[in-house]
Amino acid sequence: MLKIIAATILFLVTAVCLAVTIVPRFLDRIYYVGPRSDHFDGERFFNPSGEEETFRLPAGAGGRAGFFWRYLTGSDGRPAWPKSVPVTPGKPEPRVEGDRLVATWVGHATMLLQTQGLNILTDPIWSDRTGPLWFGPRRVTEPGVRFEDLPKIDLVLISHNHYDHLDQPTLRKLWDRDRPMIVTSLGNDALIAAAGAKATALDWGQHVTIRPGVEVIVTRNHHWGSRWFTDRNRALWSSFVVKLPSGGNLFFAGDTGLGDGKWPAEAAAYGPIRLAMIPIGAFRFVPGQMESGSHIGPGNAVRIFDRLGAAHAIPIHWGTYRLSFEARETPPAMLATLLRCTGGDVTRFAPAGVGVPTEIAPYAPPATRPDEALIDECLKSPEIAALE
């Protein structure tokens, strides 16, 4: 019996040692091979404006392991979320021709954009969970459009490789059904290929023509990428400009922090922006936090909206999957309060109902713009402080 116990212990110790040595390397992947640049060191991508800590642990957190355990188990005192949110799914038109633009928020960072006879999807995810295998946050808000009710999709934009943005099961279904053109940033095409689909992967500043008068430009933002932690930043993250022949351009911010704050102006330099899709959620990982290094909160969303000079914007990346500490309705409530406080027009940057088609007028110069100098002071207001 002692020999059996000793052999078992020896086996377990050996297995653990081998796992610690082998598993991280096994989970690492080389998604891209190419020349060095101002955001690629030959092995991994990086933000040219520098990395930022995603969040600071609160006093008494007991280290990162304890913090993440309480986060994953929901025992960190976070505000309650509903178990589910009722949704009446919409049924989009098959096509929207000419300069008409109809935007339908499916949920999270997934938007259906219909214009110029094209049907475009951003970061499509119809999965119930966002994470590897059966792990990850569960969907609280059902998709605003049933997958079977989607019109034929012509173009898909994939901003980076996090599970809530690059959803392989959804991409596989889209590819099998429609064979859309998929545009992404460097390295993510390897993960898309693993889903059985084909993608065009581009660097920041590169572009691809979809049809005469319509092109997609991969633009800079401030984020990071990983599927298994050890493969961190092996693939690039991005935002996108969709240049249209008339009526103004589209801008999809993807998932982003503020970084140096210069990249919105870089996107705006390609032409006036008719509609921007800007994230406002998953910004609070400890009580009172207003942003993180890789996620903007409503305060910096207002800054980005102003720097883009967009005629209209729809907030995304909130209310679908619970990824952080804030209450579900806090991001849009905070956004509206900040816009009023800074003199902005709340109708120009307003939430869209899930599954509700929204007609977007052609670009016209904004009559009023929020005053960025007031944002920090407005964030200290009692109305903002009252939001969990």
Side-chain angles (χ1 to χ4, degrees):
M1 181 63 68
L2 289 175
K3 288 182 178 180
I4 293 173
I5 293 173
T8 302
I9 292 173
L10 179 61
F11 172 79
L12 291 173
V13 170
T14 303
V16 168
C17 291
L18 286 171
V20 169
T21 303
I22 295 172
V23 169
R25 295 182 182 179
F26 174 76
L27 295 179
D28 194 2
R29 291 290 186 272
I30 305 298
Y31 302 131
Y32 170 75
V33 176
R36 294 172 181 263
S37 70
D38 66 348
H39 53 278
F40 182 64
D41 64 9
E43 294 186 0
R44 300 179 192 270
F45 294 93
F46 58 91
N47 292 300
S49 55
E51 300 296 332
E52 297 177 16
E53 187 178 4
T54 301
F55 60 87
R56 296 181 183 277
L57 293 180
R64 287 183 178 269
F67 177 86
F68 279 114
W69 174 254
R70 287 189 291 276
Y71 169 75
L72 291 171
T73 58
S75 58
D76 53 2
R78 67 182 69 175
W81 267 45
K83 289 187 177 179
S84 64
V85 174
V87 171
T88 301
K91 192 167 184 178
E93 302 174 55
R95 297 278 172 190
V96 172
E97 301 294 340
D99 285 346
R100 274 189 70 212
L101 170 61
V102 178
T104 305
W105 188 39
V106 178
H108 201 52
T110 305
M111 188 76 71
L112 172 64
L113 302 163
Q114 298 179 280
T115 187
Q116 301 292 333
L118 287 170
N119 292 324
I120 305 168
L121 274 179
T122 64
D123 286 353
I125 177 169
W126 264 259
S127 290
D128 186 51
R129 283 192 180 272
T130 169
L133 303 176
W134 58 88
F135 296 104
R138 184 183 294 276
R139 182 184 283 272
V140 171
T141 306
E142 290 301 307
V145 178
R146 296 185 183 93
F147 187 88
E148 57 269 25
D149 290 335
L150 275 177
K152 184 179 187 300
I153 300 301
D154 306 295
L155 173 64
V156 176
L157 306 178
I158 302 294
S159 64
H160 65 298
N161 66 11
H162 286 158
Y163 285 90
D164 57 323
H165 295 262
L166 195 162
D167 183 46
Q168 289 176 317
T170 297
L171 289 174
R172 186 178 298 113
K173 290 172 68 175
L174 280 170
W175 183 259
D176 289 345
R177 196 191 74 165
D178 297 338
R179 290 293 195 274
M181 183 170 190
I182 303 174
V183 181
T184 188
S185 40
L186 296 176
N188 298 303
D189 53 327
L191 286 158
I192 294 168
K198 183 179 179 181
T200 298
L202 303 173
D203 201 354
W204 292 339
Q206 294 182 331
H207 62 93
V208 58
T209 298
I210 307 303
R211 62 169 60 163
V214 179
E215 66 176 342
V216 174
I217 306 165
V218 175
T219 48
R220 183 167 72 97
N221 63 359
H222 187 94
H223 202 55
W224 61 287
S226 176
R227 300 287 278 191
W228 294 99
F229 297 107
T230 51
D231 65 348
R232 185 180 176 98
N233 296 351
R234 292 290 197 184
L236 185 59
W237 46 95
S238 68
S239 56
F240 300 89
V241 169
V242 181
K243 291 195 70 174
L244 298 173
S246 56
N249 296 336
L250 308 176
F251 176 74
F252 173 52
D255 200 357
T256 186
L258 182 65
D260 62 9
K262 296 178 181 178
W263 51 269
E266 295 168 8
Y270 291 105
I273 295 172
R274 179 178 185 176
L275 175 65
M277 289 140 282
I278 303 174
I280 63 169
F283 64 90
R284 180 170 286 172
F285 294 90
V286 296
Q289 190 175 23
M290 292 299 182
E291 63 171 306
S292 69
S294 56
H295 286 162
I296 55 172
N300 278 333
V302 171
R303 285 190 173 90
I304 289 170
F305 176 54
D306 180 55
R307 295 176 191 186
L308 288 168
H312 305 277
I314 294 177
I316 59 171
H317 203 267
W318 70 275
T320 305
Y321 297 96
R322 182 165 194 173
L323 303 176
S324 52
F325 196 95
E326 74 268 10
R328 182 181 184 272
E329 299 298 328
T330 288
M334 190 178 291
L335 175 67
T337 300
L338 287 169
L339 286 169
R340 287 191 296 267
C341 182
T342 58
D345 185 345
V346 295
T347 65
R348 289 179 44 233
F349 190 2
V354 180
V356 178
T358 303
E359 291 264 356
I360 307 295
Y363 175 83
T368 61
R369 295 174 67 164
D371 186 347
E372 286 194 46
L374 298 177
I375 292 175
D376 289 339
E377 194 61 32
C378 291
L379 285 169
K380 300 174 186 177
S381 70
E383 294 85 355
I384 296 293
L387 297 171
E388 296 183 293

